[in-house]
Amino acid sequence: MSYGAPLELILREVVRPALQTAGIWSEAREQIVLGTGAVESGYRWLVQIGGGPALGWWQCERATHLDLWDNWLKYRKDTLPARLRILCEGIERDGALIAHPMYAAAICGAHYLRARGALPAAGDAQGQAEYHKLRYNGPGATDPAESVIHFKNAIEACK
């Protein structure tokens, strides 16, 4: 399976430092965020093919992004909102999902932090594929049986 960039490079230069800067790093979160980008865009597209609302490598929809800020982040008493603002240089709206890949990775990680239920364990590609479908992709076209390979690749890249 090939991606727009090697997963090890995306991990080292984008995902890991983004999650660390946001203060939400964990081994399992790192794997699921890296795998989510592999499933959602293959690290090739910054806007949804066909003109849909999803933006960035993690294909976060505009409505989801706004909801995250308006209905969750603005009520948090911790440092997560301020740390995310650092990653997007103070631009909290849609364009930052394209212009700042580290911000988009951290938003994906925050989305999973907000989601109900614990993340699947680190190394659980099947669990990550199913959780991605349930908590991130929702009614989208992703099939966990087909996307599990991307999560396996992400787990391998994280070793």
Side-chain angles (χ1 to χ4, degrees):
M1 179 105 6
S2 79
Y3 301 102
L7 292 182
E8 294 81 6
L9 178 66
I10 299 292
L11 171 69
R12 185 180 67 244
E13 300 298 326
V14 179
V15 172
R16 186 173 289 155
L19 297 176
Q20 289 172 337
T21 299
I24 59 173
W25 182 91
S26 73
E27 184 179 12
R29 189 170 322 283
E30 173 178 276
Q31 291 173 0
I32 201 166
V33 169
L34 186 63
T36 297
V39 171
E40 294 288 335
S41 73
Y43 295 102
R44 287 187 175 82
W45 302 283
L46 293 173
V47 294
Q48 187 173 349
I49 295 174
L55 299 170
W57 282 336
W58 288 270
Q59 297 289 281
C60 181
E61 293 187 0
R62 291 174 173 98
T64 301
H65 186 229
L66 289 172
D67 182 65
L68 197 65
W69 275 103
D70 293 344
N71 297 309
W72 188 64
L73 287 167
K74 83 176 187 180
Y75 298 106
R76 290 186 61 95
K77 305 275 189 237
D78 62 10
T79 61
L80 180 57
R83 289 169 176 255
L84 289 170
R85 284 186 189 99
I86 290 167
L87 289 168
C88 69
E89 299 177 6
I91 303 166
E92 299 167 10
R93 298 302 183 215
D94 301 339
L97 294 168
I98 295 171
H100 301 286
M102 286 179 58
Y103 171 73
I107 285 292
C108 178
H111 180 89
Y112 283 122
L113 183 65
R114 182 187 189 193
R116 287 179 292 199
L119 282 177
D124 180 2
Q126 184 65 44
Q128 290 178 10
E130 291 169 4
Y131 193 84
H132 163 261
K133 176 62 180 170
L134 181 65
R135 301 291 180 215
Y136 195 89
N137 187 260
T142 300
D143 177 356
E146 294 175 8
S147 64
V148 71
I149 187 66
H150 297 291
F151 290 97
K152 286 179 181 178
N153 291 341
I155 290 164
E156 187 61 33
C158 291
K159 290 182 179 177

